[in-house]
């Protein structure tokens, strides 16, 4: 099951960019994440074990994060 990119909860929908979101965050604008290593944007990708953030500079930059690692904790 996918995790919401904003809160890490159970995602039941997708926003206009195809990012998995929960019902509470369905109307939020897409989440933008910048790679801490090279500064390029990170893109949400789906792999064998679910969704993850991967740098658009791949293969030169191979930085990745699990969705849960970059969730906003302020709403909980």
């Amino acid at each position: 099951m996918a995790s919401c990119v904003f809160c890490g909860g159970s995602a039941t929908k997708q926003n206009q960019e195809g990012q998995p979101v929960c019902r509470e965050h369905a109307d939020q604008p897409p989440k933008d994440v910048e790679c801490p290593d090279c500064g390029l944007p990170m893109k949400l990708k789906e792999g064998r074990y679910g969704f993850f953030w991967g740098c658009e500079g791949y293969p030169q930059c191979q930085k990745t994060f699990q969705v849960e690692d970059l969730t906003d904790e302020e709403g909980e």
Side-chain angles (χ1 to χ4, degrees):
M1 176 169 286
S3 299
C4 176
V5 297
F6 291 99
C7 67
S10 181
T12 57
K13 300 179 179 250
Q14 291 185 343
N15 62 16
Q16 63 259 26
E17 289 291 320
Q19 298 174 346
V21 293
C22 64
R23 186 178 306 164
E24 182 179 324
H25 295 109
D27 295 329
Q28 293 272 26
K31 185 168 186 173
D32 294 325
V33 178
E34 185 177 291
C35 179
D37 289 354
C38 69
L40 288 173
M42 296 191 86
K43 185 173 182 137
L44 195 66
K45 300 179 180 189
E46 188 171 11
R48 182 185 319 184
Y49 302 108
F51 287 94
F52 66 96
W53 291 102
C55 182
E56 285 190 356
Y58 180 84
Q60 291 79 17
C61 180
Q62 297 185 9
K63 188 70 169 178
T64 62
F65 291 104
Q66 293 298 316
V67 170
E68 295 82 13
D69 294 341
L70 299 178
T71 56
D72 300 331
E73 301 293 333
E74 58 199 42
E76 297 178 17

